[in-house]
Amino acid sequence: MSSVRTSRNRLLTAAAAAAIAVLSLTACDDGEGVQSEGSSSDASSSASSSDSASSGSDSSSDKDANPGSSGSKPTADGPAAKDPAGSGNGKNGSDNSGDSGKSGGKNVTCQGSNTKMVAAPLNRPVNHMLLTVTNTGSKTCYLYGYPAVRFGEAQSVPPVIEDSHPQAVVTLPPGESGYASVNLSAADGSGTNGNTEKSLTVYYQDRNGESLSSGANPSLPAKGVYVDSSIKVTYWQQSMDDAISW
């Protein structure tokens, strides 16, 4: 009887131990399953983060490589916004303008409207007349070429003495004078068609040698001056001595 009871107890103990073992094994399987699911979620999350980071990096890289892809316009500080009027409105431009004003502005051509002309017959050289032009304007003027003179009703102007051509254009600041002489007639009487004239018109020339419409009418002596076919003139000169040396 005692032996049967002992055997039953051993069987119950063994069955209990087996049940505990089964329960423990089941519990272990469930834990590993949960742990496996967590690991998979973490890996998926990690992979998602990695993909997002990679995508962000690629997007940033694309923007750096294509600065114009955003469609933004150049700023005012960029070369495209350079002020086109900057070079003309600065201090240097004002100074240049001021210097030009101090020097009388742009130089002009000497003509009837900005000069005064005097015609004076000379005793020496004989049969010569001196033309004196004085700048009465406020700007320096250039006295180009030679005087185109017309005595009375003459239809042409006398020729110029080519050898009298000056080395530089005669320049007259305000108040200064330039000179030319007129050889009225041949001293040896070899000229022809001589006659006495009492009126004179003198035309100025531009830099191209063309006569200007604004001329001068200097007075002649009351008795007039005698001219013949040998009449000729000199180029304008800076000094009176140069003018009467021809």
Side-chain angles (χ1 to χ4, degrees):
M1 185 73 174
S2 175
S3 177
V4 172
R5 186 178 297 171
T6 300
S7 296
R8 184 181 296 173
N9 288 339
R10 288 179 177 176
L11 290 172
L12 292 173
T13 300
I20 291 172
V22 171
L23 290 175
S24 297
L25 182 60
T26 303
C28 287
D29 289 342
D30 290 343
E32 289 177 358
V34 172
Q35 182 65 34
S36 176
E37 290 176 359
S39 176
S40 175
S41 176
D42 290 346
S44 176
S45 175
S46 176
S48 176
S49 298
S50 177
D51 290 342
S52 297
S54 176
S55 175
S57 177
D58 291 344
S59 176
S60 174
S61 177
D62 288 344
K63 289 182 180 179
D64 291 343
N66 298 284
S69 62
S70 63
S72 60
K73 296 180 180 180
T75 64
D77 294 333
K82 188 175 182 180
D83 183 3
S87 61
N89 296 333
K91 185 176 183 300
N92 290 340
S94 297
D95 288 346
N96 289 341
S97 176
D99 292 342
S100 178
K102 291 178 182 178
S103 65
K106 183 179 179 181
N107 294 335
V108 298
T109 300
C110 298
Q111 53 189 306
S113 61
N114 59 7
T115 61
K116 178 182 179 179
M117 185 180 295
V118 175
L122 300 175
N123 292 325
R124 291 184 180 277
V126 295
N127 302 336
H128 277 57
M129 183 174 69
L130 179 68
L131 298 178
T132 302
V133 172
T134 302
N135 183 355
T136 58
S138 60
K139 300 179 181 180
T140 296
C141 70
Y142 292 126
L143 196 54
Y144 295 107
Y146 58 90
V149 301
R150 290 181 183 273
F151 286 94
E153 300 298 325
Q155 299 299 309
S156 61
V157 299
V160 65
I161 302 172
E162 290 296 342
D163 289 343
S164 67
H165 199 294
Q167 293 183 347
V169 174
V170 175
T171 304
L172 302 183
E176 296 297 315
S177 299
Y179 309 89
S181 66
V182 182
N183 295 4
L184 298 172
S185 59
D188 59 3
S190 59
T192 60
N193 301 321
N195 60 291
T196 299
E197 299 292 351
K198 295 186 177 181
S199 65
L200 172 64
T201 301
V202 181
Y203 293 96
Y204 297 84
Q205 294 181 338
D206 62 17
R207 64 186 303 167
N208 297 318
E210 299 294 332
S211 294
L212 302 174
S213 58
S214 177
N217 299 100
S219 299
L220 295 177
K223 65 178 183 179
V225 294
Y226 181 82
V227 298
D228 64 22
S229 60
S230 67
I231 185 173
K232 49 188 174 290
V233 301
T234 68
Y235 283 96
W236 292 111
Q237 307 292 328
Q238 199 74 54
S239 73
M240 182 175 63
D241 288 343
D242 288 339
I244 64 176
S245 64
W246 300 94

